[in-house]
Amino acid sequence: MKTLEQQLLKHTDKINTLLARYGVKFGIYKNNTFKEQLFPFDAIPRIIENSEFEMLERGLKQRVLALNFFLKDIYSEKRIVKDKVVPEDFIYASSGYMAECEGVMPVKGIYSHISGIDLVKGKDNKWYILEDNLRVPSGASYPMIARDLCRKSSPETFHNTRLIDNRNYASLLRKTMDHVNTGGHSVILTPGRYNAAYFEHSYLAEKTGAHLVSGPELFVENDNLYYVTSSGTREKVGVVYRRISDEYLDPMNFNPVSLIGVPHIYDVFRKGNVSLMNAPGNGVADDKGIYYFVPKMIKYYLNEDAILSNAPTYLPFYEEDMKYVLEHFDDLVLKDVAEAGGYGVVFGNTMSSQQKEDFIKLLKEEPRRFIAQEVIDFQDLDILDNDEIVPRKADLRAFVLMSDEPHVWASGLTRFSRNPDSFIVNSSQGGGFKDTWVLSQ
């Protein structure tokens, strides 16, 4: 396998040049300025054995099924709250909970059509779930295009390697869209050119054959959604893969100052006349505080033990957990439950005495706002850094698509830190990405 990896290493610069030419970038806002930057690609792939992937596949399917059941329950009967499995405070205090979604059932009862589940592999060879992303998970386009360019740059590598072809993501996504289409065109709704993941929006539209549209191109009439074609005709829309946050989706139902949403699109959704992927309100299930309860959800809804483990997690909301966090503060990583993208993450052992004092004061004032986790010593992966192969921390974002049943894409986004002293791998924090090879046997 090393020889095959070395074949790809020769093409690293060429592949990154091609990625730049194709505009494979992500954007970030910093100091009120929008800046685009390349997402650096490392040609040494992450390799997952077939038997290991089969275990991951079972665990990911199980987790996404339970999370979908949870969302359906929370916006209807709330059995899991009445049975005291999840405290009521953790639902209504969640920034992702949307009262407007109460009693609204998506087409075919599917809430999370595309789930991005972040995992790490510990040095104990055990996989741990770090985070569930059920709102607008990004990242599938990067390994898609990277694999395509790698195959073109070094076809002999893939001819001689028994791995599962990952070029089926677009067909899985199209199947997911078609499964909930209410009759009409499929569209991908983007906030526009200056969105951080605009490359992905346009790439997925091209690969799935869906129309890439922005808010002003859609309108509601007679309880249906339409888009205006370039020739000026209007066409009915049956499914919207929306890449816009909940609060900006519909200024008439959510944030009234939104200029990128579609007035009354949520009313059409509520009547069952269009599907929105993912469904509004999913944020309550990927709240980092709710993450703590997912193994309990699996037991509650599926009557099964969780196949994949959470990272050991403590909720300062509970007196006993608060006591543990204060006693072991320097050994833990603290996370703000409302933050994402690697923001709001602090390591206890990196704080000064004053920072620690200030943080503990805030923690006691707002215990629901934070979770604390054991620092998992997860495995390093080799990367090429200035012509030298060095180890760096890496995670995996697995993608699970839900249509008639959950489907786990046999690939994923492997992100790595370019900082030798950092556990933070997010692109917004300067990380890079790799291809993920799942061996076929």
Side-chain angles (χ1 to χ4, degrees):
M1 192 64 73
K2 284 291 182 187
T3 303
L4 297 173
E5 293 174 13
Q6 288 165 359
Q7 291 173 358
L8 283 174
L9 277 176
K10 294 186 298 184
H11 302 285
T12 298
D13 291 341
K14 177 183 177 182
I15 292 168
N16 273 297
T17 298
L18 288 170
L19 289 171
R21 184 181 301 170
Y22 283 116
V24 183
K25 303 176 181 180
F26 65 93
I28 56 173
Y29 283 94
K30 195 169 185 179
N31 299 324
N32 296 317
T33 301
F34 179 79
K35 179 184 177 184
E36 277 192 320
Q37 57 193 63
L38 295 173
F39 196 4
F41 174 71
D42 184 78
I44 305 174
R46 159 173 253 153
I47 297 173
I48 300 176
E49 297 288 342
N50 186 263
S51 58
E52 187 173 31
F53 179 73
E54 288 179 350
M55 181 276 297
L56 287 174
E57 186 176 36
R58 292 194 306 274
L60 290 165
K61 286 181 176 181
Q62 179 195 58
R63 192 173 183 95
V64 168
L65 279 171
L67 286 164
N68 267 284
F69 278 127
F70 170 74
L71 285 162
K72 186 176 181 179
D73 185 21
I74 283 306
Y75 288 116
S76 57
E77 299 178 62
K78 299 178 180 57
R79 291 185 295 114
I80 200 166
V81 173
K82 293 172 183 174
D83 290 338
K84 302 188 183 305
V85 178
V86 177
E88 190 174 60
D89 290 20
F90 272 79
I91 305 302
Y92 300 121
S94 170
S95 61
Y97 167 76
M98 301 184 73
E100 299 90 343
C101 298
E102 284 289 342
V104 180
M105 179 71 68
V107 173
K108 298 188 178 178
I110 300 173
Y111 284 80
S112 187
H113 307 81
I114 302 135
S115 305
I117 310 297
D118 294 346
L119 310 95
V120 294
K121 188 175 184 180
K123 289 186 175 176
D124 57 2
N125 284 322
K126 185 176 177 181
W127 287 89
Y128 295 90
I129 304 280
L130 285 188
E131 194 171 288
D132 304 295
N133 299 279
L134 310 179
R135 281 176 272 191
V136 192
S138 293
S141 62
Y142 301 113
M144 287 171 71
I145 193 169
R147 176 74 65 87
D148 187 48
L149 294 176
C150 285
R151 293 182 75 98
K152 290 175 180 175
S153 299
S154 183
E156 67 277 11
T157 300
F158 295 89
H159 179 73
N160 297 319
T161 309
R162 293 173 177 168
L163 71 158
I164 298 175
D165 193 339
N166 79 337
R167 290 176 292 179
N168 66 335
Y169 185 83
S171 62
L172 286 173
L173 180 54
R174 186 70 206 211
K175 178 183 177 182
T176 302
M177 297 172 82
D178 290 346
H179 183 68
V180 293
N181 194 314
T182 60
H185 290 280
S186 300
V187 303
I188 294 178
L189 175 60
T190 177
R193 172 68 184 80
Y194 293 103
N195 182 261
Y198 182 75
F199 161 75
E200 175 155 291
H201 306 168
S202 57
Y203 188 75
L204 293 178
E206 175 192 344
K207 293 298 181 182
T208 60
H211 301 281
L212 183 66
V213 300
S214 59
E217 295 172 271
L218 299 176
F219 69 95
V220 170
E221 186 175 286
N222 297 327
D223 294 331
N224 284 298
L225 182 68
Y226 298 90
Y227 86 97
V228 181
T229 68
S230 56
S231 63
T233 61
R234 67 179 193 175
E235 301 284 347
K236 187 174 181 295
V237 175
V239 59
V240 179
Y241 177 17
R242 50 100 181 193
R243 302 298 298 250
I244 292 177
S245 298
D246 288 355
E247 60 269 32
Y248 298 111
L249 183 61
D250 182 344
M252 306 306 291
N253 282 281
F254 306 126
N255 190 332
V257 302
S258 173
L259 299 177
I260 58 176
V262 182
H264 297 294
I265 190 175
Y266 188 68
D267 297 320
V268 181
F269 168 74
R270 188 159 40 203
K271 292 177 184 295
N273 293 343
V274 73
S275 288
L276 297 178
M277 299 170 36
N278 285 339
N282 277 12
V284 68
D286 67 14
D287 180 302
K288 291 183 178 67
I290 294 294
Y291 159 94
Y292 174 91
F293 298 99
V294 178
K296 298 176 186 290
M297 291 178 202
I298 292 171
K299 190 68 175 179
Y300 184 79
Y301 294 116
L302 304 179
N303 196 27
E304 299 170 358
D305 293 325
I307 296 169
L308 293 169
S309 300
N310 279 8
T313 303
Y314 308 94
L315 295 184
F317 175 83
Y318 292 124
E319 185 178 343
E320 183 179 348
D321 282 17
M322 175 69 87
K323 183 173 182 290
Y324 182 90
V325 170
L326 296 178
E327 290 174 353
H328 299 84
F329 192 86
D330 287 352
D331 301 322
L332 301 171
V333 55
L334 293 304
K335 298 180 179 181
D336 189 319
V337 301
E339 295 282 359
Y343 295 101
V345 177
V346 292
F347 290 81
N349 61 6
T350 66
M351 294 185 191
S352 67
S353 297
Q354 186 60 52
Q355 288 172 326
K356 192 181 301 185
E357 183 180 330
D358 292 343
F359 191 93
I360 289 174
K361 181 175 183 291
L362 180 62
L363 184 67
K364 289 179 177 178
E365 291 172 354
E366 302 181 55
R368 169 62 178 87
R369 180 177 166 183
F370 299 95
I371 64 169
Q373 292 180 322
E374 304 285 352
V375 180
I376 296 174
D377 190 10
F378 55 97
Q379 290 185 7
D380 300 298
L381 295 180
D382 286 341
I383 71 163
L384 185 67
D385 183 31
N386 295 323
D387 297 323
E388 180 184 1
I389 294 179
V390 295
R392 293 289 184 268
K393 297 298 180 189
D395 76 351
L396 172 67
R397 173 164 292 181
F399 292 90
V400 186
L401 294 94
M402 178 75 80
S403 52
D404 51 338
E405 60 179 350
H407 300 266
V408 181
W409 184 34
S411 186
L413 176 64
T414 292
R415 301 173 295 184
F416 62 86
S417 171
R418 290 192 289 167
N419 180 345
D421 301 317
S422 177
F423 283 67
I424 309 286
V425 301
N426 304 72
S427 56
S428 57
Q429 305 292 306
F433 80 103
K434 292 174 170 285
D435 195 2
T436 303
W437 288 7
V438 177
L439 301 184
S440 59
Q441 60 180 31

